[in-house]
Amino acid sequence: MTTSRSDAPSPYSDDLTDVSAVAYGFDPDAYGLPSERELAAFAAGYFPEFYPERSAKTGDVYRPTVVPSDSSDAGRVAPRETDVEPGRSLPSIGGTPLEKIRSDFPALSLQVNGKPLVWLDNAATTQRPQQVIDRISHYYSNENSNVHRGAHTLAARSTDAFEGARSKVAKFIGAPGDKNIVFVRGATEGLNLVANAYVKPLLQSGDEIILTQLEHHANIVPWQMIAEETGAVLRVAPVDEDGQIILSEYARLFNKRTRFVSITHVSNAIGTIAPVQEMISIAHGFGVRVCVDGAQSISHMPVNVYALDADFFVFSGHKIFGPNGIGALYGKEDVLESARPWQGGGNMIADVTFERTIYHRAPQKFEAGTGNIADAVGLGAAIDYVSAIGMENIALYERALLEYGISALGRIPGLTMVGRAADRASAISFVLDCQDNESVGRYLNDAGIAVRTGHHCAQPILRRLGYEGTVRPSIAFYNTYDEIDLLARKVSELAR
């Protein structure tokens, strides 16, 4: 027998009576709202001086859970015990103990080459919390069905879970509504969709598309492909010696033939945070639309597409502690409606005859066939997870950890930082004298430390700075100062 959320025990109290349900005649959980007990628990975590009776129960403050859409409690995840390794005590992130966060990620307890895993390859992919893993398992066990049009219970459950995830994405990035969110396989597919469904029909020979030297290959190759087909020209905004966009040079690229701009928010190779709000404003001043590649920003800082005034924004679920093979494309309503369908098939049609087809409006017109339903639901769970901690809190912690890492590695003789932008996120790229990058990566792997070596699918920016490849550790909010110390110590051993 399934227990409803309103009947489930609170993680914060043994008292099963919800004051709000008694006093006001409704269950806040039924509307996706926190109960009085939950609000009190969150308040106790942030303001323990006002809740002395809870001050001794620090373990009761944090319980990120993911509740399935059918309102059962089957998706609740019990907190797991964790052993804190010797060293400096772990901090809290916005009142959430870091050891609690780390205990939610099964991969962080792995041993690699007989050593504890130190996962510093977060720019390539992030690890997943147990809550996300369990939410996907719950979907397949209790909700699995195709979405929309089904007249049975599982179809309704699956549709609610899928569309609920769309709502979570919209809210998380500040989109006006659910209809602005298209599910895609990831940022790469989102960029290809924008290029082919919206931009390509606008292009004539000699028209121009603006990119920057910071771009990942996924934000270069699709534009090259449609440029080859249409005769359009790519123009590239330069960076300075530190890897920072030269805004004045970017502005000079605009002219009457400029048709579109596609820019990264954060460089995956060197961590530069691009001044996207200013760049969007400049483009809009010329009447030009802009797509932002948010693959590397989405997990490291708050994102509000409405405040940025982005026309399109793409990101991948696996970069924000969610599943592989799922991501989201945000588009303003007018650009999504004017874009043509990209793929044809079921789900994206309203009516079909052999003479003509009538398409659904966005977002469904871009979601042909059976989508990646379970992983969309998993992405929603990942968003729940980071939202419970707070993106502002995550950004503050990561900023301090990144600065610590830059300082620790910067003191190593023979180590050269690649990219020195004042505003950076997550990634630290470097090369080491007399050591090839792959040898450094293997040496670190022997110590249990996972970093990325090579060109990081961003050859133009590395070549602009004079390199064919680098060693790239990249942090996430579950990384620790002790892990950075270990990284610096092992790199120092190679530098001797």
Side-chain angles (χ1 to χ4, degrees):
M1 180 177 176
T2 301
T3 305
S4 70
R5 285 180 66 186
S6 57
D7 292 334
S10 165
Y12 308 107
S13 171
D14 293 328
D15 178 11
L16 302 186
T17 302
D18 193 323
V19 177
S20 57
V22 173
Y24 307 115
F26 74 96
D27 176 12
D29 253 359
Y31 297 88
L33 301 172
S35 67
E36 286 198 10
R37 288 170 296 153
E38 291 173 317
L39 288 172
F42 285 125
Y46 282 95
F47 307 105
E49 64 273 20
F50 296 112
Y51 296 84
E53 71 279 5
R54 295 178 180 266
S55 61
K57 299 182 179 181
T58 55
D60 288 347
V61 171
Y62 166 70
R63 295 289 190 276
T65 59
V66 176
V67 181
S69 64
D70 66 355
S71 296
S72 76
D73 66 348
R76 290 188 181 272
V77 181
R80 297 180 293 128
E81 296 299 321
T82 179
D83 295 322
V84 179
E85 295 182 19
R88 62 165 61 85
S89 60
L90 297 182
S92 292
I93 303 178
T96 303
L98 184 52
E99 60 264 31
K100 287 284 191 183
I101 293 171
R102 289 179 60 83
S103 74
D104 285 333
F105 290 80
L108 299 185
S109 64
L110 292 175
Q111 298 276 315
V112 175
N113 297 318
K115 305 292 193 332
L117 173 65
V118 175
W119 186 257
L120 292 171
D121 195 18
N122 295 288
T125 198
T126 55
Q127 297 300 333
R128 281 58 162 178
Q130 190 66 45
Q131 287 87 338
V132 170
I133 298 167
D134 288 350
R135 183 63 185 92
I136 296 170
S137 177
H138 177 85
Y139 171 84
Y140 280 122
S141 298
N142 297 277
E143 302 164 324
N144 184 45
S145 170
N146 215 324
V147 295
H148 307 140
R149 301 183 309 280
H152 55 79
T153 298
L154 290 190
R157 289 181 183 177
S158 184
T159 299
D160 287 347
F162 184 67
E163 294 301 334
R166 195 190 307 274
S167 296
K168 291 176 183 181
V169 172
K171 180 179 178 182
F172 185 68
I173 64 172
D178 300 0
K179 62 187 175 183
N180 299 103
I181 304 301
V182 179
F183 282 125
V184 290
R185 287 184 300 150
T188 297
E189 184 172 65
L191 290 165
N192 276 273
L193 191 159
V194 174
N196 286 276
Y198 180 74
V199 180
K200 183 178 173 182
L202 303 176
L203 297 177
Q204 297 180 359
S205 180
D207 286 344
E208 298 180 356
I209 301 165
I210 296 177
L211 310 177
T212 79
Q213 288 183 322
L214 293 175
E215 305 310 321
H216 186 281
H217 295 166
N219 203 23
I220 299 173
V221 178
W223 306 109
Q224 288 178 331
M225 293 171 72
I226 66 169
E228 289 173 359
E229 294 178 40
T230 62
V233 177
L234 301 186
R235 305 197 73 189
V236 182
V239 301
D240 62 20
E241 296 299 322
D242 292 325
Q244 301 173 121
I245 297 288
I246 305 173
L247 273 178
S248 60
E249 294 298 321
Y250 164 76
R252 288 193 185 99
L253 294 177
F254 288 87
N255 59 62
K256 64 183 181 179
R257 300 307 300 268
T258 307
R259 294 291 177 265
F260 200 73
V261 173
S262 192
I263 53 177
T264 189
H265 199 171
V266 174
S267 165
N268 74 300
I270 60 173
T272 300
I273 301 176
V276 292
Q277 191 155 15
E278 294 92 330
M279 297 175 79
I280 292 169
S281 179
I282 291 169
H284 286 175
F286 288 91
V288 177
R289 303 281 195 172
V290 182
C291 179
V292 177
D293 175 3
Q296 295 296 326
S297 62
I298 193 68
S299 67
H300 301 296
M301 61 190 68
V303 170
N304 188 305
V305 294
Y306 185 81
L308 290 175
D309 201 19
D311 299 289
F312 296 97
F313 185 94
V314 300
F315 71 91
S316 298
H318 74 100
K319 298 294 176 68
I320 187 169
F321 318 103
N324 292 322
I326 192 69
L329 161 67
Y330 159 81
K332 289 181 177 177
E333 184 176 359
D334 61 334
V335 294
L336 289 181
E337 289 303 326
S338 63
R340 67 186 185 187
W342 187 38
Q343 297 176 320
N347 195 53
M348 50 81 72
I349 54 85
D351 189 77
V352 176
T353 69
F354 283 107
E355 289 72 37
R356 60 94 179 96
T357 293
I358 299 173
Y359 305 115
H360 279 309
R361 299 186 66 180
Q364 281 73 28
K365 77 172 179 179
F366 302 111
E367 295 178 350
T370 298
N372 191 351
I373 304 166
D375 288 334
V377 174
L379 173 58
I383 287 173
D384 285 343
Y385 189 90
V386 295
S387 296
I389 298 168
M391 287 307 302
E392 295 86 354
N393 298 325
I394 288 171
L396 285 171
Y397 174 74
E398 286 191 4
R399 178 69 182 183
L401 188 63
L402 179 66
E403 290 176 352
Y404 183 83
I406 291 170
S407 175
L409 292 171
R411 292 193 295 269
I412 297 173
L415 185 147
T416 302
M417 292 283 182
V418 180
R420 296 174 176 271
D423 205 6
R424 297 160 70 175
S426 182
I428 307 173
S429 262
F430 68 86
V431 294
L432 197 61
D433 287 353
C434 303
Q435 296 284 348
D436 65 84
N437 298 324
E438 288 70 25
S439 295
V440 176
R442 288 193 296 269
Y443 187 79
L444 293 175
N445 183 59
D446 289 342
I449 304 170
V451 300
R452 185 70 40 168
T453 63
H455 58 60
H456 317 304
C457 291
Q459 290 171 300
I461 183 57
L462 293 184
R463 287 171 176 164
R464 162 63 181 88
L465 299 175
Y467 299 92
E468 285 296 315
T470 66
V471 180
R472 185 198 65 188
S474 49
I475 65 169
F477 70 100
Y478 45 54
N479 290 122
T480 70
Y481 288 88
D482 282 347
E483 290 179 327
I484 298 299
D485 287 341
L486 177 62
L487 171 67
R489 186 162 65 251
K490 290 300 177 181
V491 173
S492 293
E493 292 173 2
L494 273 177
R496 293 172 186 166

